[in-house]
Amino acid sequence: MEKKVRSRKKRQKFKLPKAGSSPGLVYIDENALQPKIVLHKFNQAGFETTKLNDLNNLSQLISDKSFTFWIEIKGFNSEKMFETISDDLHINKLVIEDITRTYQRPKMDEYDNYIFAVSRMLLLDDEKNLENEQLSYILTDNMLITLQEKYEDCLEPVRQRLRAGKGNIRAGGSSYVFYAINDTIIDTYFEILGVWGDDLDTIEDRLFDKPDRSIMFDTQMIKRNLISIRRVAWPERDKLNDMLRTDNPLITEGTKLYIRDAYDHCIQIIDIIESLKEISASNIDMYLSIISNRMNQIMKVLTVISSIFIPLTFIAGIYGMNFVKEDPVTGKLMPYNMPELYQSNGYLVTMLVMLFIAVAQVLYFWRKGWFK
């Protein structure tokens, strides 16, 4: 029984600004979620989490320089919230536009007193469809703001490390939290590629076992997703490279040591993507070759059958013309007509001749190896 083809999710589409529109406009989608704001306040001595209703007192909230702050914002359905961020932190309007226009490629932009960066957060849903979400960062000397459209994320390991207080995450400052989030996102790329690698191994087993049409569709879906993650991994590598090369004091030298490790991981991801792309292309080629060979085998069988029956059909056709030797009305002999038509045992002789020809052809084809 042919395996059911897994349904393919339609490509995610982003609403682009109209040509010639003014730069720096805040875009709020009509289906945008209500903001959920969580403030994480920590230093080496402790960690505290607070849920906020708004950002009206943002400057006052982050005024204590003995703490590092991580503000998580999920949901963009509040134009006033972005105005508060822009006014209180003196964030450029172009940055706010890049945050709300969630089709940006991974990048890092440096400004006078903050750094703006973008990552692409990839998640797999229950049907193994790829979810591609933008995560934006605003980094200052003692604060990191992360902004995303949806509520789901892959950042729970970072929160657990902050609660546990192990390692450098509390002592490393805002730039270290910035690195930790980037590193966690990159680690999810490894997990996703691992799932697709296992799927490709399963598809390869199905190729050798019993290939069916679903193999091509499943492989093509993985190949399409690999192209999507490749479009994320290359600019992510460039962003990490910019983080390593910058002289901006907001990213400390101690943090750069860890960023270099994340950069190496990104290189590995790119290598894995290229390898899986080759495997997926190979699986498709192998499937087409197997189908072609199967068709060749079918055509070979039909050719053998046709070759056996062509001379038999020829003989039957000749004796089916019924050109009699004697005119049944006048009794006149008809020269060059079939003398065998009224021969005794003619039917038996003809059948034996046809059987002999068929057996001789089968033996000939067998000796030629056509039945192997």
Side-chain angles (χ1 to χ4, degrees):
M1 183 177 180
E2 190 174 278
K3 183 180 176 182
K4 184 180 179 181
V5 179
R6 188 165 58 196
S7 61
R8 178 176 64 84
K9 187 177 180 181
K10 292 184 178 180
R11 183 184 302 176
Q12 185 177 2
K13 295 183 179 180
F14 301 99
K15 189 171 182 180
L16 300 175
K18 294 182 180 180
S21 59
S22 300
L25 296 177
V26 176
Y27 171 73
I28 305 297
D29 188 87
E30 59 182 7
N31 298 317
L33 301 175
Q34 291 298 321
K36 289 185 178 180
I37 306 172
V38 178
L39 172 66
H40 303 289
K41 176 181 177 182
F42 55 91
N43 57 18
Q44 287 181 293
F47 171 77
E48 179 184 339
T49 297
T50 307
K51 293 183 178 181
L52 305 177
N53 295 323
D54 52 54
L55 295 176
N56 292 337
N57 299 319
L58 180 59
S59 299
Q60 183 178 353
L61 288 172
I62 62 173
S63 60
D64 191 345
K65 298 298 182 180
S66 64
F67 287 90
T68 301
F69 301 90
W70 173 24
I71 301 175
E72 293 187 80
I73 300 175
K74 298 179 179 181
F76 288 170
N77 196 1
S78 174
E79 190 170 348
K80 182 180 179 182
M81 176 182 69
F82 291 105
E83 292 176 356
T84 301
I85 294 174
S86 178
D87 295 339
D88 287 9
L89 299 179
H90 307 290
I91 304 298
N92 193 298
K93 293 292 185 181
L94 294 174
V95 171
I96 302 299
E97 180 184 13
D98 285 349
I99 293 172
T100 55
R101 295 284 185 180
T102 56
Y103 49 79
Q104 310 298 322
R105 69 197 299 269
K107 63 177 182 177
M108 186 188 79
D109 296 332
E110 298 182 56
Y111 294 86
D112 293 338
N113 58 345
Y114 64 93
I115 289 176
F116 171 66
V118 172
S119 290
R120 304 303 306 186
M121 189 161 48
L122 305 181
L123 300 169
L124 288 180
D125 62 16
D126 295 336
E127 296 183 356
K128 295 186 179 180
N129 292 314
L130 187 65
E131 300 285 347
N132 187 346
E133 183 181 355
Q134 176 173 314
L135 181 67
S136 304
Y137 313 85
I138 298 175
L139 175 68
T140 66
D141 56 348
N142 72 324
M143 181 195 64
L144 175 68
I145 301 178
T146 57
L147 306 100
Q148 62 187 82
E149 272 191 305
K150 300 178 181 178
Y151 297 149
E152 297 79 13
D153 62 31
C154 59
L155 306 182
E156 186 58 31
V158 179
R159 302 184 191 98
Q160 291 179 356
R161 289 169 60 189
L162 282 170
R163 285 192 287 265
K166 296 180 180 180
N168 298 324
I169 192 162
R170 289 189 187 175
S174 57
S175 65
Y176 189 90
V177 179
F178 178 41
Y179 147 75
I181 294 174
N182 277 272
D183 186 59
T184 302
I185 291 173
I186 292 173
D187 287 343
T188 61
Y189 296 175
F190 279 112
E191 296 175 2
I192 292 171
L193 291 175
V195 171
W196 291 339
D198 293 340
D199 287 347
L200 287 174
D201 289 341
T202 302
I203 290 172
E204 193 169 355
D205 293 338
R206 286 163 53 195
L207 274 171
F208 292 109
D209 182 21
K210 188 179 179 181
D212 55 63
R213 190 181 63 172
S214 65
I215 287 176
M216 186 172 64
F217 290 97
D218 291 345
T219 305
Q220 185 61 32
M221 187 181 71
I222 294 175
K223 187 176 180 181
R224 185 187 183 119
N225 287 334
L226 287 170
I227 294 174
S228 297
I229 195 173
R230 184 180 183 273
R231 293 176 61 186
V232 170
W234 278 94
E236 184 70 30
R237 186 200 67 166
D238 295 338
K239 183 189 76 176
L240 292 172
N241 188 47
D242 291 341
M243 292 166 64
L244 286 173
R245 293 178 178 274
T246 183
D247 294 327
N248 197 310
L250 294 177
I251 300 179
T252 64
E253 293 299 324
T255 301
K256 287 183 180 180
L257 179 65
Y258 297 96
I259 294 174
R260 190 174 294 110
D261 180 66
Y263 179 83
D264 292 338
H265 291 171
C266 205
I267 297 295
Q268 294 175 26
I269 286 170
I270 293 172
D271 291 339
I272 294 173
I273 291 171
E274 297 302 323
S275 299
L276 293 181
K277 280 183 62 181
E278 291 181 7
I279 293 173
S280 61
S282 176
N283 281 351
I284 293 176
D285 292 341
M286 187 182 300
Y287 169 76
L288 295 176
S289 297
I290 291 173
I291 296 301
S292 178
N293 289 335
R294 181 185 294 176
M295 183 61 66
N296 289 339
Q297 291 297 324
I298 294 173
M299 294 302 298
K300 183 178 177 181
V301 172
L302 295 177
T303 301
V304 170
I305 294 174
S306 299
S307 300
I308 293 173
F309 279 91
I310 282 174
L312 308 185
T313 306
F314 174 74
I315 295 173
I318 289 176
Y319 287 99
M321 292 187 292
N322 295 327
F323 289 116
V324 296
K325 184 179 181 180
E326 183 179 348
D327 190 333
V329 178
T330 63
K332 181 182 177 181
L333 293 177
M334 310 292 288
Y336 306 111
N337 277 10
M338 290 182 172
E340 303 90 352
L341 197 60
Y342 297 105
Q343 184 175 346
S344 300
N345 302 318
Y347 172 77
L348 181 60
V349 171
T350 302
M351 294 299 294
L352 290 175
V353 170
M354 294 170 68
L355 178 62
F356 172 77
I357 292 174
V359 171
Q361 284 185 300
V362 169
L363 292 175
Y364 177 78
F365 294 148
W366 177 72
R367 292 189 64 182
K368 286 291 185 179
W370 282 31
F371 297 119
K372 291 183 181 179

